[in-house]
């Protein structure tokens, strides 16, 4: 399922910051496409979050740069779809400056959670998923009654349906949590390759911050716009 819109919530202004983040992620991805396989791996090692390096106090800038890199088309398209649907409403409530700080802080919280559960790892972690998870966490607190339009694929057919944001994002978080717990055991094809704890850390951070801004969302009349 891919989110394509939210039917009950409308932002109060043009989401310039969200669009800028989408554009920046796209530009970095286009640059990645120009790199060969060895060059891309070196790029990931240099600008991705490597837990063992962060533990030693090295390459701290990667905590920022990693959230603008992606591992493939599905990775970036999925992330940008979620940011496009949920980001504008959070930006409208927080304002552009606070939203920018929140997004980056969410990505940082996500990376720290990933490092905590992957101490000593030499595998780089990349992607905007953690920051976007923070956006999703804030969204479910601010707009629990909204409905999300989902694109669903059934074999060779596709259709649009609506589901409660609370149900959709709640199930998403539970899935990440279960997968994260499973990843603490032996590594398998089902538990490797996805930074589940980054998603969990970002989402929890978003939940906490979302509580602080929920009353503002209600005052702005966005919850049932």
């Amino acid at each position: 399922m891919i989110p394509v819109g939210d039917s009950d919530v409308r932002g109060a202004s043009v989401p310039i910051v969200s669009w800028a983040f989408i554009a920046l992620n796209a530009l970095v991805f286009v640059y990645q496409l120009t790199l060969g396989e060895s060059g891309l791996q070196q790029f990931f090692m240099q600008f991705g979050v490597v837990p063992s390096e962060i533990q030693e106090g090295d390459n701290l800038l990667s905590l920022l740069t990693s959230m603008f890199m992606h591992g493939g088309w599905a990775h970036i398209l999925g992330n940008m779809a979620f940011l496009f649907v949920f980001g504008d409403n959070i930006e409208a409530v927080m304002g552009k400056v606070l939203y920018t700080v929140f997004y980056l802080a969410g990505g940082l919280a996500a990376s720290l959670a990933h490092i905590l559960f992957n101490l000593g790892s030499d595998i780089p972690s990349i992607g905007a998923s953690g920051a976007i998870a923070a956006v999703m966490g804030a969204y479910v607190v601010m707009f629990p009654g909204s409905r999300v339009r989902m694109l669903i694929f059934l074999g060779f057919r596709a259709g649009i349906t609506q589901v409660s944001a609370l149900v959709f994002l709640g199930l998403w978080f539970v899935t990440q949590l279960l997968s994260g717990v499973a990843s603490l055991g032996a590594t398998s094809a089902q538990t490797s390759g996805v930074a589940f704890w980054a998603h969990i850390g970002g989402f929890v951070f978003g939940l906490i911050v979302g509580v602080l801004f929920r009353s503002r969302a209600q005052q702005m009349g966005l919850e049932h716009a």
Side-chain angles (χ1 to χ4, degrees), residues 117-154:
F117 286 92
N118 292 272
L119 295 175
S121 173
D122 294 324
I123 301 175
S125 172
I126 61 172
S129 304
I132 296 170
V135 171
M136 294 160 60
Y139 186 99
V140 77
V141 172
M142 294 183 192
F143 313 110
S146 71
R147 299 187 66 79
V148 180
R149 293 195 301 276
M150 308 295 303
L151 176 63
I152 297 180
F153 296 94
L154 299 173

Side-chain angles (χ1 to χ4, degrees), residues 1 6 23 35 52 54 56 71 84 106 111 115 123 133-134 175 188 202 223:
M1 295 190 298
D6 49 346
L35 303 174
S52 61
I54 301 300
E56 297 173 0
F84 178 79
S111 289
I115 293 168
I123 301 175
T175 299
S188 68
E223 185 171 10

Side-chain angles (χ1 to χ4, degrees), residues 79-147:
N79 275 349
M80 295 306 100
F82 276 81
L83 180 56
F84 178 79
V85 171
F86 301 113
D88 60 338
N89 305 291
I90 307 305
E91 181 176 342
V93 173
M94 293 185 175
K96 304 190 183 310
V97 174
L98 285 179
Y99 174 69
T100 301
V101 174
F102 164 73
Y103 182 91
L104 297 177
L108 177 60
S111 289
L112 294 179
H114 172 74
I115 293 168
L116 179 63
F117 286 92
N118 292 272
L119 295 175
S121 173
D122 294 324
I123 301 175
S125 172
I126 61 172
S129 304
I132 296 170
V135 171
M136 294 160 60
Y139 186 99
V140 77
V141 172
M142 294 183 192
F143 313 110
S146 71
R147 299 187 66 79

Side-chain angles (χ1 to χ4, degrees), residues 20-35:
F21 281 137
I22 291 174
L24 183 55
N25 277 281
L27 287 173
V28 173
F29 187 71
V30 169
Y31 173 71
Q32 289 179 208
L33 295 177
T34 68
L35 303 174

